[in-house]
Amino acid sequence: MLTPVEEIIEEIEKDRKSGASTLTDKALECFAVFAEQSSDKTLQTLQDQLLLICNELIHSQPDMAPMFTVTQRVLSCVENLKNQNPSPEKIRKTIKELIHTIRTELVQAKEKIAAIGLSLIKNSDTILTHSYSSSVKEMLISVHKMGTTFQVIATESRPGFEGRKLAQDLGREGIHTTLIVDSAACKLLQNASMVILGADRVTEKFFVNKIGSYSLALCTHHASKDVYVVCDTTKFVPTSFSTVESKLYPDEEVLEEELPNVTVENPYFEEVPLSFIKGVICEKGLLSPKEIGVII
Amino acid sequence: MLTPVEEIIEEIEKDRKSGASTLTDKALECFAVFAEQSSDKTLQTLQDQLLLICNELIHSQPDMAPMFTVTQRVLSCVENLKNQNPSPEKIRKTIKELIHTIRTELVQAKEKIAAIGLSLIKNSDTILTHSYSSSVKEMLISVHKMGTTFQVIATESRPGFEGRKLAQDLGREGIHTTLIVDSAACKLLQNASMVILGADRVTEKFFVNKIGSYSLALCTHHASKDVYVVCDTTKFVPTSFSTVESKLYPDEEVLEEELPNVTVENPYFEEVPLSFIKGVICEKGLLSPKEIGVII
């Protein structure tokens, strides 16, 4: 039988629909449950257990930077305690406090991101977005609640169709949303004021987002319109982070039947050069590609 | 009850899956059946009937150039007879002969296109294509039968998934084909030797093809790889031809349920500048964008 911690990791691993922010929430929950329920009697077994969890989390969603940044923060925090020869209880308490701190920071980040969104999006704007990003969704809903009237064009996002969920969530909040097939994004761009995308990872050279983001960003750049990326800085990692291989995703999502001499390739993510974008909206402000390069 | 001619026109109008070449076959069949079965007693009623058919054919698939070029050829042919004060029988016979001539020309065009394909595609090449084009399919199958070993990457082509049909048809012929979601085309481009697309219309400035072609052509051009368009010259028309509005396609193809504040936009076609492509493969040769401009 799986432990509660193992159950959360399995849930994260099987999750094909959520963006990096939602998965970060789950990873934090995983550490919180670990700190609450771990019954390890010695410092060493607790640390071994923690290292195992961090490793599993990183490999559960290798394209999601927060799996790396959050686990690194937990590990560093425990490492820093070592000189104090802490009790397992002390370590568990410290992890709980760190998770609380990170959650508070993430709430504050959302507020700062919403404020930048409010200054960027004007009445009557049309925002084109691709796939489902909870960072993008929450920013748009906040800006709408603060009184700006805009509309959204959302792609359906094959193979998982998670754009339908975004359209449903935005529509329910009263934001008028047009749902399109992914291939129509470059044509519908002509009706858009700007493109706003989420990110699972941002490096000094590129960001990683759902497959289809590269062509959309290139077309937008080519049409002299602006692409913005929305994410908190837990998604910021150096390019050299890309040591874990991207996962392969199930063929059945693209083609259910077997056809002779036909195979399926089903990548979920791709890298988009920062040179295609105007900037990244995060809790540190609206950062230009150059500024991102300095920070990371 | 519908006449056989009306039945064919209705079939063309409802067809959401076939490319321009298949629909051209059906339009030719429509004229052949008309010439065979028409019982109009006077020249005037026959001409009126013919004009009505041509008008309905053009509006049945307004993005398909051959509907225009083929009907124009039939009308011109009848117009040229007028000075001879022909009997309705003579007109019907002339139409039958013209349809036979056009069909022969189209068969010869396919052979010439296949020969160009053979000189272009090398052993071990990987051809990336989008959606379903019978011109592309027939050229690839011919080149394969003539002994060149290559593989194909095919997009599924939402909303109709007609790329699955292409993958199935090519696979059945022994051509190894990888099926991908539309959004993955720009990433998988890195594995491709070249991109080959069909066209429903070619003008002196752009070609019209399935939605998604613009971003793919731009990404390919940006990656310094070549895009070729395959079609016979029945698809060549001046830009000024674009007087008939594109049709709207059903929302239900993108989203079956109703969601509050969510609407669907479902365009099928888009214009791609000829500047993104290396050339058009047609029965007159491999024509550069500049040469296309001179011909049309």
Side-chain angles (χ1 to χ4, degrees):
Chain A
M1 210 175 107
L2 294 178
T3 65
V5 166
E6 288 166 340
E7 274 180 14
I8 299 174
I9 294 175
E10 191 176 90
E11 194 186 318
I12 292 173
E13 185 160 16
K14 286 186 176 167
D15 195 328
R16 301 265 178 277
K17 304 241 174 195
S18 302
S21 297
T22 307
L23 294 171
T24 307
D25 286 343
K26 289 185 185 174
L28 293 173
E29 182 61 21
C30 183
F31 286 115
V33 168
F34 170 75
E36 192 65 50
Q37 301 190 339
S38 166
S39 57
D40 294 296
K41 291 290 180 285
T42 73
L43 181 60
Q44 191 57 48
T45 55
L46 191 145
Q47 278 189 309
D48 289 349
Q49 189 61 30
L50 195 59
L51 210 60
L52 200 70
I53 292 173
C54 288
N55 193 42
E56 285 180 0
L57 278 175
I58 289 172
H59 285 84
S60 69
Q61 291 278 353
D63 288 284
M64 305 288 180
M67 295 293 149
F68 185 80
T69 54
V70 167
T71 58
Q72 285 306 306
R73 231 171 126 181
V74 172
L75 289 176
S76 301
C77 168
V78 172
E79 187 65 28
N80 290 342
L81 279 177
K82 263 181 134 178
N83 293 338
Q84 304 168 29
N85 195 22
S87 65
E89 285 70 30
K90 168 71 180 165
I91 294 184
R92 282 196 279 272
K93 184 166 175 283
T94 307
I95 293 175
K96 277 195 243 180
E97 285 168 357
L98 174 66
I99 298 308
H100 179 73
T101 303
I102 296 177
R103 282 179 166 153
T104 307
E105 286 171 6
L106 288 175
V107 170
Q108 289 167 345
K110 283 176 190 174
E111 289 166 4
K112 286 178 187 162
I113 287 170
I116 300 170
L118 188 66
S119 67
L120 200 70
I121 300 171
K122 307 294 175 205
N123 277 316
S124 306
D125 270 355
T126 298
I127 313 299
L128 197 156
T129 187
H130 174 53
S131 190
Y132 184 100
S133 150
S134 60
S135 297
V136 172
K137 184 182 88 171
E138 285 168 13
M139 186 184 83
L140 292 177
I141 291 175
S142 294
V143 173
H144 170 74
K145 283 185 173 163
M146 289 188 278
T148 307
T149 307
F150 60 90
Q151 53 177 327
V152 172
I153 301 172
T155 58
E156 61 179 9
S157 197
R158 283 280 295 158
F161 292 115
E162 58 265 32
R164 290 181 184 168
K165 171 93 172 74
L166 180 74
Q168 183 171 32
D169 291 354
L170 296 178
R172 197 178 282 147
E173 294 288 333
I175 301 170
H176 182 262
T177 305
T178 304
L179 188 71
I180 60 172
V181 298
D182 301 325
S183 278
C186 292
K187 184 179 174 78
L188 272 293
L189 187 59
Q190 65 197 22
N191 305 336
S193 321
M194 66 187 87
V195 169
I196 301 184
L197 299 173
D200 301 300
R201 196 177 352 146
V202 177
T203 79
E204 65 277 24
K205 292 181 184 161
F206 56 80
F207 69 100
V208 173
N209 198 41
K210 186 72 192 281
I211 196 86
S213 297
Y214 180 97
S215 58
L216 178 55
L218 176 59
C219 288
T220 312
H221 187 65
H222 189 258
S224 303
K225 293 190 180 189
D226 292 330
V227 181
Y228 295 95
V229 170
V230 178
C231 67
D232 59 68
T233 55
T234 61
K235 275 102 182 185
F236 286 18
V237 285
T239 308
S240 54
F241 160 70
S242 310
T243 50
V244 183
E245 276 286 303
S246 278
K247 281 162 66 173
L248 289 175
Y249 293 91
D251 292 1
E252 302 75 50
E253 292 180 346
V254 180
L255 185 69
E256 283 177 15
E257 56 191 324
E258 294 234 343
L259 299 176
N261 294 314
V262 176
T263 52
V264 167
E265 200 159 331
N266 184 19
Y268 266 31
F269 301 104
E270 65 186 343
E271 297 174 359
V272 184
L274 291 189
S275 56
F276 293 170
I277 72 168
K278 180 82 173 175
V280 175
I281 301 168
C282 67
E283 73 273 23
K284 294 188 176 177
L286 169 51
L287 306 179
S288 69
K290 202 174 164 189
E291 288 168 319
I292 294 285
V294 173
I295 283 186
I296 294 174
Chain B
M1 210 174 108
L2 295 178
T3 66
V5 166
E6 287 166 340
E7 273 179 16
I8 299 174
I9 295 175
E10 191 176 271
E11 195 186 317
I12 292 173
E13 185 160 16
K14 285 185 176 166
D15 195 328
R16 300 267 178 277
K17 303 240 174 199
S18 301
S21 297
T22 307
L23 294 171
T24 307
D25 286 344
K26 289 185 185 174
L28 292 174
E29 181 61 21
C30 183
F31 287 115
V33 168
F34 171 76
E36 193 63 51
Q37 302 190 338
S38 167
S39 57
D40 295 297
K41 292 288 178 286
T42 72
L43 180 61
Q44 191 57 49
T45 55
L46 191 145
Q47 278 190 308
D48 288 349
Q49 188 63 27
L50 194 60
L51 209 62
L52 199 69
I53 291 172
C54 289
N55 194 40
E56 285 179 1
L57 278 175
I58 289 172
H59 285 84
S60 70
Q61 291 279 353
D63 289 283
M64 305 288 180
M67 294 294 148
F68 185 80
T69 54
V70 167
T71 57
Q72 285 304 305
R73 232 171 126 181
V74 173
L75 290 176
S76 300
C77 168
V78 173
E79 187 65 28
N80 290 342
L81 280 178
K82 263 182 134 177
N83 294 337
Q84 304 166 28
N85 196 23
S87 66
E89 285 69 27
K90 168 71 180 164
I91 294 183
R92 282 195 280 270
K93 184 164 175 286
T94 307
I95 293 175
K96 277 194 243 181
E97 285 166 0
L98 174 66
I99 298 309
H100 179 74
T101 303
I102 296 176
R103 282 179 168 152
T104 307
E105 287 170 8
L106 288 175
V107 170
Q108 290 166 345
K110 283 176 190 174
E111 288 164 4
K112 287 178 186 162
I113 287 171
I116 300 171
L118 188 67
S119 67
L120 200 70
I121 299 171
K122 307 294 175 207
N123 277 316
S124 307
D125 269 356
T126 297
I127 313 298
L128 197 157
T129 188
H130 174 53
S131 191
Y132 183 101
S133 150
S134 60
S135 296
V136 172
K137 184 183 88 172
E138 286 167 14
M139 185 184 84
L140 292 178
I141 290 174
S142 294
V143 172
H144 170 74
K145 283 185 173 162
M146 289 186 279
T148 308
T149 307
F150 59 91
Q151 54 176 328
V152 172
I153 301 172
T155 59
E156 62 178 10
S157 197
R158 283 279 295 157
F161 293 113
E162 58 265 33
R164 290 181 185 168
K165 172 96 172 71
L166 180 75
Q168 184 172 31
D169 291 355
L170 295 178
R172 197 178 282 147
E173 295 288 333
I175 301 170
H176 182 262
T177 304
T178 304
L179 188 71
I180 60 172
V181 298
D182 301 323
S183 279
C186 292
K187 184 180 175 78
L188 273 293
L189 187 58
Q190 66 197 20
N191 305 336
S193 321
M194 66 187 86
V195 170
I196 301 185
L197 299 173
D200 301 299
R201 197 179 348 146
V202 176
T203 79
E204 65 277 25
K205 293 182 183 161
F206 56 80
F207 69 100
V208 173
N209 197 40
K210 186 72 191 282
I211 196 87
S213 297
Y214 180 97
S215 57
L216 178 56
L218 176 60
C219 288
T220 313
H221 187 65
H222 189 258
S224 302
K225 294 191 179 190
D226 291 331
V227 181
Y228 295 95
V229 170
V230 178
C231 68
D232 60 66
T233 56
T234 61
K235 275 105 182 183
F236 286 17
V237 285
T239 308
S240 55
F241 160 71
S242 311
T243 50
V244 182
E245 278 286 304
S246 277
K247 281 162 68 171
L248 289 175
Y249 292 91
D251 292 0
E252 301 75 50
E253 291 180 347
V254 180
L255 186 69
E256 283 178 13
E257 56 191 324
E258 294 234 342
L259 299 176
N261 294 314
V262 176
T263 51
V264 166
E265 201 159 330
N266 184 20
Y268 266 31
F269 302 103
E270 63 185 344
E271 297 174 0
V272 185
L274 291 189
S275 56
F276 293 169
I277 72 169
K278 180 83 172 173
V280 176
I281 301 168
C282 66
E283 72 273 23
K284 295 189 177 177
L286 169 51
L287 306 179
S288 69
K290 202 175 164 188
E291 288 168 319
I292 294 286
V294 172
I295 283 185
I296 294 174

